Amino acid sequence: AQSVAQPEDQVNVAEGNPLTVKCTYSVSGNPYLFWYVQYPNRGLQFLLKYITGDNLVKGSYGFEAEFNKSQTSFHLKKPSALVSDSALYFCAARKAGNMLTFGGGTRLMVKP
Amino acid sequence: EAGVAQSPRYKIIEKRQSVAFWCNPISGHATLYWYQQILGQGPKLLIQFQNNGVVDDSQLPKDRFSAERLKGVDSTLKIQPAKLEDSAVYLCASSSAGLDTQYFGPGTRLTVL
C-alpha cells in the first residue's frame, strides 16, 4: 500500500531564511511525487511535481524539491522564505495507475 | 483559464439530513476526483471518474455516499443520511487525460450538527 509521511506538524522559520518541509514516501516502483499548498479556506494549489528526470524539480513561487530515491524522500525547499509563504503544505505520491495518496500536512509559519 | 468550480462553499445540516455538492471541472479535463479532507488531515480520495465512468470508488462509503457525472462534465456528490463524522471539507479536482497534475477547487465545508 502507498503511504506518505510528513514528520513535522509545523515548521517555523524567520523571513529571509531558507526553509525545508520534509516528506518521505512508500510507493512500489517509480513514484510520481507532488507538492501542494493550501491557504485558509482555499483548495489545494499545485506547486511542483516529479515524474522522471532531474532529481531537482523547480516549481511555483521559488519553491523546489529534491527527489532522493535511496532515502525515499521528496523534501520541499526554498532559499529565502517570505511571510506570505505561511500556509499548509501537502506532499502526495502515487505510482502510475494508482490513486494519489496525501501526507498529513505541515504548517509552515514564517515570522517577520 | 477558469479553475475548478464548486458550490456551495459552506453547508450546515443536522445529522440524518441529506446534502449535495456540485463540481464543474476545468474545461476539457476528462478526469474528475472527489476528496474528503477532515480537519488536520490530508485529503482522502472518495471517487474518481474518467469521463462519465467510475475508475475508483474503493474508499467511498457507499451506504450513504453517492456520486454521478452523467454527461462527463460536471459532477454531484451526495450524502444521505449525514453523520456527525461527515463534517469535513469536500474537495473536487480535475486533470487532463494522460497527465498527472490534479487541479483543485475551493472546496465545500460541511458541518453536521
Side-chain angles (χ1 to χ4, degrees):
Chain A
Q2 303 177 161
S3 66
V4 177
Q6 294 182 242
E8 302 155 315
D9 289 337
Q10 183 161 317
V11 170
N12 297 309
V13 64
E15 186 175 32
N17 283 3
L19 69 88
T20 298
V21 182
K22 296 179 180 177
C23 170
T24 59
Y25 64 89
S26 175
V27 172
S28 60
N30 296 319
Y32 294 8
L33 301 164
F34 302 81
W35 276 101
Y36 286 85
V37 60
Q38 188 173 35
Y39 295 98
N41 299 314
R42 302 281 295 275
L44 275 70
Q45 184 175 340
F46 170 73
L47 279 179
L48 51 80
K49 67 180 177 183
Y50 171 84
I51 304 297
T52 186
D54 194 349
N55 288 346
L56 185 63
V57 178
K58 294 188 182 296
S60 306
Y61 313 118
F63 284 94
E64 58 188 28
E66 185 166 12
F67 170 62
N68 187 317
K69 189 170 185 177
S70 63
Q71 297 185 3
T72 62
S73 67
F74 190 56
H75 300 332
L76 181 70
K77 300 180 180 183
K78 188 174 182 181
S80 179
L82 300 173
V83 172
S84 57
D85 292 331
S86 298
L88 195 53
Y89 289 80
F90 289 96
C91 181
R94 63 183 283 257
K95 68 176 184 179
N98 276 21
M99 73 173 84
L100 195 60
T101 299
F102 284 85
T106 298
R107 184 165 302 281
L108 173 66
M109 298 290 290
V110 182
K111 298 185 178 180
Chain B
E1 163 179 279
V4 177
Q6 289 188 248
S7 67
R9 291 294 312 277
Y10 305 90
K11 190 73 178 179
I12 301 174
I13 61 172
E14 295 189 349
K15 60 183 179 183
R16 291 188 288 274
Q17 285 187 321
S18 302
V19 65
F21 313 127
W22 174 82
C23 172
N24 189 256
I26 292 172
S27 178
H29 280 193
T31 310
L32 185 147
Y33 314 79
W34 283 103
Y35 287 86
Q36 179 192 59
Q37 185 180 18
I38 293 173
L39 186 65
Q41 300 180 18
K44 183 186 80 171
L45 180 70
L46 292 175
I47 189 167
Q48 175 183 342
F49 291 94
Q50 180 77 17
N51 296 309
N52 60 350
V54 175
V55 174
D56 188 338
D57 64 356
S58 58
Q59 300 192 108
L60 186 73
K62 298 180 186 63
D63 58 333
R64 297 183 301 105
F65 286 65
S66 64
E68 59 184 15
R69 194 184 184 200
L70 295 176
K71 296 182 179 179
V73 181
D74 56 349
S75 174
T76 303
L77 176 70
K78 296 180 181 178
I79 307 175
Q80 180 179 6
K83 293 185 175 181
L84 296 177
E85 59 261 36
D86 298 332
S87 294
V89 175
Y90 291 84
L91 296 165
C92 179
S94 69
S95 67
S96 183
L99 298 179
D100 296 286
T101 302
Q102 297 180 25
Y103 296 92
F104 285 78
T108 297
R109 182 177 298 277
L110 173 67
T111 302
V112 182
L113 302 175

